[in-house]
Every structure is written in structure tokens, then in C-alpha cells.
Amino acid sequence: MEAAQAVGSVPILEAMGIRVVEARPGFAAADLPPEPNVNHFGVTYAGSLFSVAEMLGGVLSLVTFDFDPASGGELAGFVPIVKESTIRFRRPALGVVRASASLSDDEIARVRRDALATGKGEFVLEATLTDEQGEVVASTVGTYQVRRFG
Amino acid sequence: MEAAQAVGSVPILEAMGIRVVEARPGFAAADLPPEPNVNHFGVTYAGSLFSVAEMLGGVLSLVTFDFDPASGGELAGFVPIVKESTIRFRRPALGVVRASASLSDDEIARVRRDALATGKGEFVLEATLTDEQGEVVASTVGTYQVRRFG
């Protein structure tokens, strides 16, 4: 699956208007528009902020690890899943919010090794959410696994 | 604002199909249907699970504290906000998921006291998310504040 398809495959992410703006091995970023995510205080709803950050773990995994059996991917049959996530809200979010997250080459190599050796590679991904002025509105720390599926 | 209106006032919560099923001082519960929250693995998306749990903090606050200036509410001019939340995913969520959370009478009294004394009453709310078989699919721990607004 392509990273851009990751949003389209989850209807509620598409309903939020989330758009992947960059996705390459070890890095992913996505934008969240205000509408329809604005709450009754006129700022972006907490659950939408959580979602645009959380989904980066899936997007980043899809472009970093090769899950595709058709291409003989070494992690064919594995899927990324989220185990736990913490979000801290720093300030009210107005306008388009960008979430971004990165994973180092060393971490990527370790996750791949662990996944192949044990069927499960776990990693922690920190995402930062900024407004159009570059101010941090929220941050997340998520624990993900790439796991052998089924 | 009535608790049922809390969902309607945030378009994306309405888009998720979230429905408040019970709301009284110290307790709130809401249901999340599978559609349109199902992800590409056929289970309910993490961000929707987060949202149905997170919004309980607002719903519970609205029915527990009197924010209404028209009724001379003692917390008139205060609003509930979320500061931080952690969600743990326990098992894949299928079917309708119910989230529920409660706050003890002692905690309610303390939050009210703190809010009146300092302009800010903070509380921790634990929510449990169960499937139709009563199995826990996820749990959250959120930190909220009722704060003087503006």
C-alpha cells in the first residue's frame, strides 16, 4: 500500500481531511485542516490532533519497511500496529496543523532485525504538531509494533 | 449546553457516529459504531477509540458542574479542557464500542473547590472501552481542567 492510500483506506481519516504531505523512509508528515475538526471553542478538536499524529506511525512504517509480498518484501506478512500513545496539548490549535515524525536509521535497522528474529519489532515514535506559525500545539509519544499478521 | 449537544457541536464527532448513552453527575458513557471508523484491517481505528473516550471528559464536566451563566451556575464562565491523555490498546476492537468514565463525589467537590479558589480545577479521568461482549479493547487516562475562560 502507498502512503497516500493509508488515509483513503480509513474513512474517518479521509473525513477529517488529513493529507500526507511527505513520506519517505524514516520520515512522515501530514496536514490536518480546521474543518470539520473545529470544536465548540473554535479550535481543533483533541481527537483529530491525536489522529493526524497517530497515523504517522502507519504511514512511516509503510514507506520504511517492505511489507509487500508481491515485491518479495522482507517484512511481507507483517503489519504496523499502535500499542499505546500519549498526547500532550500545549496550546489551542488554529488553522492547518502539521504533524511530523521521524525514526533514525539505527532504529529502523533494529526494528527490522527484531521483527525478523522474533516476529515483532517495537519502536517509539515522537510526533510534533505545529500550527502555520510553527508554534507547537501538541506532541505525542506512541509505541508501535511491526508484527507478523494472522 | 446539554451533554447530547456536545457531540453535535463538534462535526467530526458527529461524523464518527458517536452517541452519548448516559450522562449524569460523575458518570458518562458513549457508543462508537464501527462505520465509518473501521480501518484497513477491519477493526476500529485508534483515533476514533481515542475520541469517544476523550470526549467523555467534556460530557461528564457539562453534566457535573454548572457552567451556565443563565442559571447562575457557580462555575459560569469556566470551560472543561483536556491537557493530556494516554490510550492503551488492549485488543482489536470490533462492533460497537462503549466508553465509560466516572468521577467520585469527593473528586467532584475538590475540583469545584480548586476551580473557585484558583480559577483552575484539575482532574484525572480513567475511561474504559469495551466491545459488545464486555471485553476491554482499550483504556485511557486523561488529565482535564475546568478553567476560567477568556
Side-chain angles (χ1 to χ4, degrees):
Chain A
M1 195 192 320
E2 294 298 315
Q5 289 176 273
V7 173
S9 68
V10 185
I12 199 65
L13 290 178
E14 203 164 39
M16 290 178 190
I18 290 174
R19 196 170 60 89
V20 176
V21 292
E22 193 173 344
R24 51 182 165 77
F27 183 81
D31 278 358
L32 175 76
E35 294 298 338
N37 304 296
V38 172
N39 70 11
H40 49 298
F41 303 129
V43 301
T44 298
Y45 172 60
S48 299
L49 293 172
F50 176 89
S51 298
V52 69
E54 187 289 316
M55 57 86 72
L56 293 179
V59 169
L60 187 146
S61 293
L62 287 172
V63 294
T64 300
F65 304 108
D66 189 354
F67 298 122
D68 187 3
S71 71
E74 64 177 353
L75 293 185
F78 284 69
V79 293
I81 61 165
V82 60
K83 293 302 290 177
E84 178 175 332
S85 187
T86 296
I87 183 164
R88 290 183 186 83
F89 302 96
R90 311 283 180 160
R91 61 175 69 207
L94 296 165
V96 175
V97 170
R98 175 159 300 181
S100 61
S102 60
L103 201 61
S104 73
D105 289 347
D106 283 355
E107 268 295 271
I108 292 168
R110 183 196 56 76
V111 172
R112 185 179 285 121
R113 269 199 315 274
D114 288 354
L116 289 170
T118 70
K120 185 163 79 181
E122 185 166 293
F123 61 97
V124 171
L125 195 66
E126 300 187 7
T128 302
L129 293 89
T130 52
D131 64 17
E132 288 161 286
Q133 284 70 49
E135 298 282 357
V136 175
V137 296
S139 59
T140 64
V141 180
T143 302
Y144 296 82
Q145 293 175 349
V146 291
R147 287 179 70 158
R148 196 167 275 132
F149 185 64
Chain B
M1 194 192 322
E2 295 299 313
Q5 290 177 270
V7 173
S9 68
V10 185
I12 199 66
L13 291 177
E14 203 163 39
M16 289 177 189
I18 289 174
R19 196 169 61 87
V20 175
V21 293
E22 193 173 346
R24 49 181 166 78
F27 183 80
D31 278 358
L32 175 75
E35 294 298 338
N37 303 297
V38 171
N39 70 12
H40 49 298
F41 301 129
V43 301
T44 297
Y45 173 60
S48 300
L49 294 172
F50 176 90
S51 297
V52 70
E54 187 288 315
M55 56 89 70
L56 294 179
V59 169
L60 187 148
S61 293
L62 287 172
V63 294
T64 300
F65 305 108
D66 189 353
F67 298 121
D68 188 3
S71 71
E74 64 177 352
L75 292 186
F78 284 69
V79 293
I81 61 165
V82 60
K83 294 301 292 176
E84 178 174 332
S85 187
T86 296
I87 183 164
R88 291 184 185 81
F89 301 97
R90 310 284 179 158
R91 61 176 70 206
L94 295 165
V96 175
V97 171
R98 176 159 301 181
S100 61
S102 59
L103 202 61
S104 73
D105 289 347
D106 284 354
E107 268 295 270
I108 291 168
R110 182 195 56 76
V111 172
R112 186 179 284 122
R113 270 198 315 274
D114 288 354
L116 290 170
T118 70
K120 185 164 79 181
E122 185 166 293
F123 61 97
V124 171
L125 195 67
E126 300 187 7
T128 302
L129 294 89
T130 52
D131 63 19
E132 288 162 287
Q133 285 71 50
E135 298 281 357
V136 176
V137 296
S139 58
T140 64
V141 180
T143 302
Y144 297 82
Q145 294 174 349
V146 292
R147 288 179 69 159
R148 195 168 274 130
F149 185 63

